[in-house]
């Protein structure tokens, strides 16, 4: 335990402290430790893991809806594409940039960019549709220099370089954990075919055998999205290791 | 055809001119066009020059346009930032205040329904009287608009009128914050005014005259060295009078939302905004005369009388800057602390200064 | 509202003579009105502090609406605040502009279905919207530039998307999945689920309690280590409390909580109480009782015994309509706007999420705006003040020195008679929202309570979950969490120092600490990718490991900070004017501090040696070498110096944690227990967050965690029914909410200007208090 005492200042100390305060001001007026980034003429370098605007790659998307499910702000809503699959749209009027969606995207279809300084004149425009998230957007930029914060053992330094930072980063894909849907109790199956209707990759099919509906899961086609598992009315589907 | 020279002599302009050898040489080169000569002699007529150019309106105008910029830049620098910059970034945003004043000029002026409308609108303009009048008595070098042996007393008297108008502003606003701010202003007014006057009186006793040009001439050793106590008292009182930190008690942005000025908008606020700069300018000018030797300084070749003007302005500017940079160094005192400093420490200091002055005058330093 | 037109100001600027001058002047002189309504204000401060310096663009922050011409709406506008926004906007002279920053002010962000928010764009005409939560300073300045360009005549959105073709090969028709949330149809609610723990002291204590309480209790259960639940009847509640207070020295209430169980037609009312006697410090005793679920049930208040529960009782009155007999604050809404009725009862439903985009506009619930612009004062206040010749001033919610709450100050001359708080201007209904979100989704939610101290907010919540699940966190993750928690604590302190120095009128102090904060944020952004809202700590560990570069940088920070800190000390802390302002002002003695329920460094400044990091160590605080700081002065300076010393200890902790991390081999950062099937993700959760956490279900019972956040004790209490993957009830008691009472009591009898010194010394952060 450490007792903290309150400074008692005698007249002499007061004079010394006044002088110290004035000295700081005088010194800073000559050699200031300025730490200002001249945005918009300069741009501060953000790390590659910066959580900014999202980009989307439909080829990697397995339409598992997890981005929409995990979004705490309900900013991601799915929209049906011409191929009848559902892809995410982002409403930046709700998005809180927590990137739970990026961290939930097992295929790595969502990725981050370093875009974060955008002004919209209309709230309606803040909805970004799937087709707009695929290619790199253009933002109005006035920066000619890049500023990087460097902290060494002495102080904070601003390193300025005359370059224009690219806002799009390469990201490493997530660790692949191949999962597949499996029926653990086929005997309990009602044959409601919800799983078949759910499956966006067409891995689940039904065969009518002697007037009994039997479901089959194509292990190769199954992306392990887990939608069938979630929706199964009898809760007899499980995700297991491939 | 009237003879120009007769006019000039007839008006008493002749012989009371600002003599600037450099300009004189150029003037001599000009062909004899009567109107121009009349105009130039008129401008260079000392009283007129003082009232209109320096230390009068033109200087004040330029100062109001650029001094807040200097202040903001310097404070920004001390605070590890840059201050106004992007407006013309290669000049460091030097015309920032022009933009601000244009904006204020064109903005709506709101008179809220609780305000006392006539006074609410009159006071921002009326306040210019005490702000501008003293400039007629303050000499820049040896140029002064009205020469009188009682100049210092007149300046003091006019400056003391100042808070009354602030009280008027606050009273006309009829807002609770303005009310508290006004009361604080009134309290502070008495706290600094007494030591302030005593300190100035001390200097008058020391110099044996209250003619500012005379005072400036008498300072072979600057007043600040002769009587540093008086200088300190004067400086602190000036900080109190212009509501500078640590005595920005009446306005107290975080407490009272700018106190008396809270309801003003548009150009009315613009006028109030520059008011404290005007007051500070007058006080800094007075300080320059009383303690820093007025316009004395090494003669700048070819400038003649203007040399004194430049030295005067330079010193005033330094005092002003010091006064305004205080806000980066200090937080603000509480009202009761401000009052106890005024009535306690400052009053004692001013009395010591007075005693010191009397002693020095007796010894006959000057 | 009706008749507002967002281009009206542009037309004003473009009319009449001298149009170019008007335009030019306005363009470079946009003075934003100080409209800090919630957490985006922190980033606004960064944008106008030395890191980015908004003043460069001619935008000088101005506190007074009459003199400003630009409102930057910083996030949430609650029902209470909506009135203020409209009033301020109407007070401003034409031409005026409005920017809305942050998702809350647009379609609601994470609070999109809250019962207490409105949309600024429906209240005032808005020129630009800047997305982000919070926005970055760059985003804010981009908004300023956009307004400047609009004045010049180029009104445009600053991003252009390119439309690409989507895959168009024919596929099969798909079914739309149902919600990911699972609600138990008839949740089994029990507060006192017994748990076998290795805790002899507790068993001894239960025995003693049983003997002492005699017949006034119904049952006494050990629910977890250091947690005891006592069940009693409503009639005996006061008796139990009195016994505990008299015989055991239980001296403060940490929490007052109500749980609505509509299907059993009852409310469970619980008081979590504890003692600052050394041996009892870690123990939290829950006294609970059940009362009938009526329109306005009545229960006797315990404020006579534990005044610290006062404001929480008032809050519960707002939320559930329970009347606490004996509490003075039952006559008016305390936290909520007058038109909101008992929102935390289970039959008050919020809008459900929609996962499919319909008709091209994202779903956002309809929000009704307040009908009148006046917030009522409590009845008879003005008349009474007039009788006793007091002067009443309303400070806030829009005032340079109010923060986002309203203070009703009664003064006699220059002396404060009473300060009545009117909080709730940033009440964003976190507790209600948490009942409707997955456990994992609540992480960003609670973090938003306080983005000046986000990691501690996050950590407390996650620790409650871990406690319930009984997960052990990997060593490396523990060190990283500790490191980040200390960075966050420093961030909170520097935030408060900045606000404190502004409140005393010292803008340089503000700028200096903001430069240090900029360094802290740089470290956090490199670790997590977000400046203020990392959401980085998840149950079982952290989202991913951090790189060596960042560790080096953080290590350098511990020594680099000294240079700037020294200057800050010279110009602010030891500045004689500041010392004169803060010394001997707002003194709270040890007894008073305990009675009013002050927590954290402010309690320690009054001489109570209570720091949860020592009392009930979590993460790796017990392995590191550091000291608790206490003081005896109990005044503003004492509180401030105490915290300052604490930050030096934080630097010590930080240094040790970073050094340990540098030597430690890289390994798992997420516990495999919680990942289950997805244990390959134990180094980086990327790609598997929802898989691993989407269906997280907590065991039945109430799980309470306390941690030492930047401003004091942070308590989370999660009630789970054991079947749903959403919590049944989450109660969060933030330190600022507890400290509110302290500000008021310390202010009485002081000078008017002292109020801001006291307010600043308590580091009050309204979004954290209002939640």
């Amino acid at each position: 335990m450490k007792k903290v005492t309150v400074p008692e200042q005698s007249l002499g100390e007061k004079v010394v402290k006044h002088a110290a305060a004035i000295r700081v001001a005088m010194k800073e007026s000559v050699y200031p430790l300025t730490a200002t980034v001249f945005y918009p003429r300069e741009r501060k370098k953000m790390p590659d893991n910066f959580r900014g605007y999202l980009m989307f790659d439909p080829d990697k998307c397995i339409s598992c809806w997890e981005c929409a499910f995990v979004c705490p702000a309900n900013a991601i809503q799915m929209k049906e594409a011409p191929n009848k699959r559902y892809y995410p749209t982002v409403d930046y009027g709700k998005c809180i940039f927590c990137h739970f969606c990026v961290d939930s995207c097992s295929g790595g279809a969502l990725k981050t960019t370093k875009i974060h300084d955008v002004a919209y004149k209309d709230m309606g425009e803040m909805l970004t549709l799937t087709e707009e998230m695929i290619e790199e957007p253009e933002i109005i930029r006035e920066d000619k220099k890049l500023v990087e914060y460097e902290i060494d053992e002495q102080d904070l330094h601003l390193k300025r370089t005359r370059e224009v930072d690219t806002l799009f980063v390469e990201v490493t894909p997530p660790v692949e954990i191949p999962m597949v849907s499996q029926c653990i109790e086929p005997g309990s199956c009602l044959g409601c075919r919800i799983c078949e209707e759910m499956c966006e990759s067409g891995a689940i099919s039904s065969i009518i055998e002697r007037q009994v509906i039997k479901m089959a899961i194509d292990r190769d086609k199954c992306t392990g999205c887990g939608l069938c598992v979630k929706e199964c009315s009898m809760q007899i589907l499980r995700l297991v290791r491939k | 055809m009237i003879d120009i020279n007769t006019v000039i002599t007839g008006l008493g302009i002749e012989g009371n001119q600002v003599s600037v050898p450099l300009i004189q040489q150029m003037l001599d080169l000009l062909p004899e066009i009567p109107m121009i000569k009349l105009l130039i002699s008129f401008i260079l007529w000392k009283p007129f020059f003082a009232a209109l150019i320096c230390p009068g309106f033109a200087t004040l105008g330029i100062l109001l346009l650029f001094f807040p910029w200097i202040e903001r830049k310097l404070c920004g620098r001390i605070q590890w930032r840059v201050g106004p910059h992007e407006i013309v970034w290669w000049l460091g945003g030097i015309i920032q205040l022009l933009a601000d004043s244009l904006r204020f000029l064109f903005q709506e002026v709101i008179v809220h329904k609780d305000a006392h409308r006539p006074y609410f609108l009159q006071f921002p303009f009326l306040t210019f009287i005490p702000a501008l009048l003293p400039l007629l008595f303050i000499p820049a070098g040896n140029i002064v608009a009205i020469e009188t042996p009682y100049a210092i007393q007149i300046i003091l008297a006019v400056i003391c009128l100042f808070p009354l108008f602030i009280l008027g502003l606050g009273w006309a606003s009829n807002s609770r914050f303005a009310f508290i701010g006004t009361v604080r202003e009134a309290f502070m007014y008495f706290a600094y005014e007494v030591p302030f006057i005593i300190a100035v009186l001390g200097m008058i006793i020391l110099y044996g005259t209250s003619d500012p040009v005379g005072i400036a001439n008498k300072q072979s050793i600057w007043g600040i060295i002769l009587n540093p106590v008086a200088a300190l008292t004067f400086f602190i009182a000036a900080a109190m009078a212009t509501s500078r930190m640590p005595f920005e008690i009446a306005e107290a942005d975080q407490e009272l939302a700018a106190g008396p000025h809270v309801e003003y908008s548009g150009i009315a606020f613009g006028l109030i905004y520059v008011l404290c700069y005007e007051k500070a300018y007058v006080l800094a000018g007075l300080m320059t005369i009383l303690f820093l030797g007025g316009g004395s300084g090494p003669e700048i070749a070819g400038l003649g009388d203007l040399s004194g003007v430049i030295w005067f302005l330079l010193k005033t500017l330094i005092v002003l800057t010091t006064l305004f940079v205080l806000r980066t160094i200090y937080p603000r005192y509480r009202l009761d602390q401000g009052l106890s400093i005024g009535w306690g420490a400052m009053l004692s200091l001013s009395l010591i200064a007075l005693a010191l002055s009397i002693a020095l005058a007796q010894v006959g330093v000057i | 509202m009706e008749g507002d037109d967002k281009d009206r100001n542009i037309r004003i600027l473009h009319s009449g003579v001298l149009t170019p001058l008007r335009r030019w002047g306005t363009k470079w002189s946009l003075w934003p009105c100080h409209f800090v309504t919630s957490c985006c204000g922190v980033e606004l401060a960064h944008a106008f502090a030395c890191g980015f310096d908004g003043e460069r663009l001619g935008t000088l922050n101005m506190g007074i609406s009459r003199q400003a011409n630009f409102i930057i709406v910083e996030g949430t506008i609650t029902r209470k605040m909506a009135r203020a926004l409209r009033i301020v906007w109407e007070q401003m002279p034409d031409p005026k502009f409005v920017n809305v920053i942050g998702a809350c002010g647009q379609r609601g962000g994470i609070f999109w279905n809250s019962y207490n928010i409105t949309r600024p764009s429906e209240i005032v005409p808005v020129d630009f919207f800047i997305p982000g939560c919070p926005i970055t300073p760059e985003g804010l300045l981009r908004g300023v530039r956009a307004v400047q360009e609009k004045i010049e005549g180029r009104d445009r959105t600053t991003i252009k998307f390119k439309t690409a073709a989507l895959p168009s090969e024919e596929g099969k028709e798909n079914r739309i999945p149902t919600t990911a949330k699972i609600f138990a149809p008839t949740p089994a609610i029990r507060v006192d689920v017994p748990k076998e723990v290795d805790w002899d002291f507790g068993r001894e204590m239960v025995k003693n309690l049983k003997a002492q309480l005699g017949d006034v209790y119904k049952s006494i259960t050990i629910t977890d280590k250091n947690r005891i639940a006592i069940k009693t009847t409503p009639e005996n509640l006061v008796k139990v409390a009195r016994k505990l207070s008299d015989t055991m020295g239980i001296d403060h209430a940490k929490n007052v909580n109500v749980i609505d169980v509509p299907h059993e037609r009852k409310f469970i009312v619980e008081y979590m109480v504890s003692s600052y006697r050394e041996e009892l410090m870690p123990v939290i005793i829950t006294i609970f009782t059940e009362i009938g679920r009526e329109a306005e049930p009545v229960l006797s208040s315990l404020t006579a015994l534990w005044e610290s529960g006062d404001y929480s009782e008032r809050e519960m009155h707002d939320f559930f309509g329970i009347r606490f007999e004996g509490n003075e604050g039952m006559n008016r809404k305390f936290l909520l706007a007058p038109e909101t009725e008992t929102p935390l009862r289970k039959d008050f439903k919020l809008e459900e999420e929609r996962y499919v985009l319909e008709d091209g506009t994202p779903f956002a619930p309809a929000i009704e705006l307040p009908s009148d612009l006046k917030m009522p004062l409590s009845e008879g206040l003005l008349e009474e003040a007039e009788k006793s010749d007091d002067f009443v001033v309303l400070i806030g919610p829009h005032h340079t020195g109010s923060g986002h709450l309203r203070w009703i100050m009664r003064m006699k001359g220059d002396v404060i008679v009473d300060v009545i708080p009117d909080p709730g201007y940033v009440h964003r209904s976190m507790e209600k929202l948490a009942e409707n979100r997955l456990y994992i989704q609540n992480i960003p939610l609670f973090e938003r309570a306080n983005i000046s101290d986000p990691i501690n907010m996050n950590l407390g919540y996650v620790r409650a979950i871990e406690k319930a699940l009984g997960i052990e966190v990997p060593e490396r993750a523990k060190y990283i969490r500790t490191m980040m928690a200390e960075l966050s604590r420093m961030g909170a302190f520097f935030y408060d120092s900045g606000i404190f120095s502004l409140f005393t009128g010292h803008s340089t102090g503000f700028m200096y600490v903001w430069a240090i904060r900029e360094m802290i944020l740089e470290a956090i952004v490199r670790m997590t990718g977000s400046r203020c809202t990392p959401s980085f700590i998840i149950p079982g560990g952290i989202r991913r490991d951090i790189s060596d570069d960042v560790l080096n940088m953080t290590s350098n920070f511990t020594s680099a900070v000294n240079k700037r800190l020294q200057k800050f000390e010279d110009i602010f802390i030891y500045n004689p004017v500041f010392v004169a302002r803060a010394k001997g002002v707002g003194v709270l003695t040890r007894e008073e501090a305990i009675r009013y329920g002050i927590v954290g460094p402010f309690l320690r400044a009054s001489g109570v040696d209570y720091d949860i990091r020592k009392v009930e160590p979590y993460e790796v605080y017990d392995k590191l070498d550091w000291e608790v700081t206490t003081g005896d002065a109990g005044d503003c300076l004492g509180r401030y110096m105490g915290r300052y010393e604490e930050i030096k200890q934080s630097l010590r902790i930080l240094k040790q944690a970073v050094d340990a991390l540098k030597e430690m081999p890289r390994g798992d950062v997420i516990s495999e227990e919680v990942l289950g099937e997805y244990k390959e993700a134990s180094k980086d959760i990327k790609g598997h967050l929802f898989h691993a956490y989407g269906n997280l279900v907590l065991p039945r019972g109430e799980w309470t965690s306390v941690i030492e956040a930047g401003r004091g004790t942070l308590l989370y209490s999660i009630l789970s029914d054991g079947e749903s993957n959403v919590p049944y009830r989450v109660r969060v008691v933030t330190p600022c909410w507890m400290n509110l009472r302290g500000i008021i009591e310390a202010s009485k009898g002081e000078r008017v200007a002292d109020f801001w010194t006291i307010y600043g010394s308590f580091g009050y952060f309204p979004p954290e208090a209002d939640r």
Side-chain angles (χ1 to χ4, degrees), chain A residues 39 94 121 125 230 241, chain C residues 6 56 157 178 363 677:
Chain A
Y39 185 88
K94 275 182 179 173
K121 66 172 184 175
E125 295 175 17
K230 181 170 161 290
R241 281 295 168 114
Chain C
K6 63 187 261 186
R56 284 181 300 116
T157 295
T178 52
F363 167 65
E677 206 54 57

Side-chain angles (χ1 to χ4, degrees), chain C residues 522-629:
Chain C
E522 182 66 16
I524 291 180
V525 76
R526 288 196 193 178
M527 286 173 197
T528 68
S530 173
R531 281 165 61 91
C532 291
T533 48
S535 303
F536 200 62
I537 296 172
I538 51 175
I542 53 170
R543 270 160 85 166
R544 56 189 58 87
D545 208 343
I546 56 181
S547 72
D548 286 334
D549 290 350
V550 184
L551 280 182
N552 280 332
M553 192 180 115
T554 316
S555 169
N556 287 343
F557 167 77
T558 53
S559 62
V561 71
N562 287 325
K563 184 172 175 187
R564 285 170 191 258
L565 216 48
Q566 183 59 45
K567 291 190 193 282
F568 175 66
E569 254 180 32
D570 280 347
I571 210 158
F572 181 66
I573 302 180
Y574 293 113
N575 192 320
V577 181
F578 171 69
V579 172
R581 274 303 297 277
K583 198 165 168 191
V585 169
V587 180
L588 286 179
T589 61
R590 187 177 196 275
E591 286 66 38
E592 280 172 337
I594 292 174
R595 175 143 52 94
Y596 301 132
I598 317 296
V599 293
F602 316 109
L603 180 70
R604 292 195 282 280
S606 292
V608 182
D609 180 19
Y610 177 80
D611 188 318
I612 297 161
R613 290 173 292 170
K614 284 274 191 224
V615 170
E616 200 183 22
Y618 53 95
E619 307 309 326
V620 290
Y621 284 111
D622 47 348
K623 292 182 192 165
L624 305 173
D625 176 32
W626 62 283
E627 286 170 300
V628 178
T629 53

Side-chain angles (χ1 to χ4, degrees), chain C residues 3 25 47 70 130 169 171-172 227 280 325 340 401 474 480 582 626 701:
Chain C
F70 185 31
I130 295 128
E169 73 277 15
K172 75 174 186 68
R227 307 284 182 267
L280 286 180
E325 255 342 285
T340 326
I480 294 176
W626 62 283

Side-chain angles (χ1 to χ4, degrees), chain B residues 51-179:
Chain B
L52 205 66
I53 297 179
C54 184
F57 295 103
T59 314
L60 184 68
I62 292 169
L63 197 80
L64 291 181
L65 219 45
F66 294 107
F67 185 73
W69 173 79
I70 297 174
E71 181 211 350
R72 278 164 72 174
K73 281 301 255 195
L74 188 64
C75 291
R77 202 175 163 82
I78 294 173
Q79 296 177 342
W80 303 342
R81 354 176 241 124
V82 279
H85 185 78
E86 301 294 323
I87 183 162
V88 272
W89 59 269
W90 66 88
L91 285 175
I94 193 161
I95 50 172
Q96 180 63 50
L97 261 288
L98 195 63
D100 284 342
S101 37
L102 278 176
R103 195 263 284 179
F104 278 130
L105 188 64
F106 292 123
Q107 202 158 30
E108 183 186 4
V109 178
I110 297 173
V111 185
H112 58 289
K113 71 174 184 217
D114 291 339
H116 190 293
R117 196 182 169 93
Y119 289 163
F120 187 81
L121 291 174
Q122 279 165 23
F123 270 114
F125 296 93
L126 285 179
T127 326
F128 273 81
I129 299 169
L132 297 179
L133 267 184
L135 288 177
L136 295 177
F137 301 94
I138 291 178
N142 54 9
I143 302 166
V144 62
I146 301 174
E147 261 192 287
T148 145
Y150 304 110
I152 301 283
Q153 287 89 327
I154 294 173
I155 294 172
L156 275 188
V158 180
I159 289 176
C160 291
L161 273 181
F162 211 95
L164 289 181
F165 290 90
I166 307 260
L167 299 192
L169 286 177
W171 181 77
S173 293
N174 196 9
S175 139
R176 279 171 187 254
F177 290 118
F179 173 71

Side-chain angles (χ1 to χ4, degrees), chain C residues 330-439:
Chain C
M330 294 290 129
N331 298 324
R332 64 171 176 127
K333 285 269 189 288
F334 192 54
L335 204 53
L336 299 183
E339 62 267 21
T340 326
E341 292 293 334
T342 59
L344 253 76
R345 291 194 177 198
K346 284 282 176 188
D347 41 22
F348 187 104
K349 295 280 183 222
L350 298 181
E351 298 282 344
E352 285 294 319
E353 279 99 341
R354 287 188 199 161
Y355 299 116
V356 181
L357 183 75
E358 284 157 12
D359 66 39
T361 43
F363 167 65
I367 291 169
E368 50 180 296
L369 294 168
S371 49
D372 61 333
L373 290 181
K374 287 218 169 75
M375 272 304 293
L377 287 171
S378 47
E379 268 173 50
L381 174 85
L382 289 176
E383 291 78 9
E384 198 202 322
E386 197 164 318
K387 253 182 237 161
S388 55
D389 204 16
D390 292 349
F391 193 64
V392 177
V393 184
L394 304 181
I395 298 160
H398 170 260
H399 182 279
T400 337
S402 72
H404 6 241
L405 77 166
R406 186 168 71 163
W407 301 97
I408 302 154
M409 192 191 275
R410 283 173 65 170
M411 49 177 112
K412 227 182 188 68
D414 195 34
V415 176
I416 301 171
V417 176
D418 196 3
V419 185
I420 304 159
D422 182 12
Y425 287 88
V426 227
H427 173 65
R428 298 179 287 193
S429 64
M430 288 190 181
E431 289 178 11
K432 181 72 179 180
L433 292 177
E435 290 173 11
N436 289 279
R437 304 259 164 102
L438 303 179
Y439 282 106

Side-chain angles (χ1 to χ4, degrees), chain C residues 182-207:
Chain C
I182 305 164
F183 289 98
T186 48
I189 300 306
R190 212 177 140 189
V191 174
D192 56 340
V193 180
K195 191 176 173 188
E196 281 300 314
V197 282
D198 176 28
W199 188 35
D200 293 334
F201 179 75
R203 276 190 286 277
E204 191 67 28
M205 208 167 123
V206 170
K207 218 181 279 170

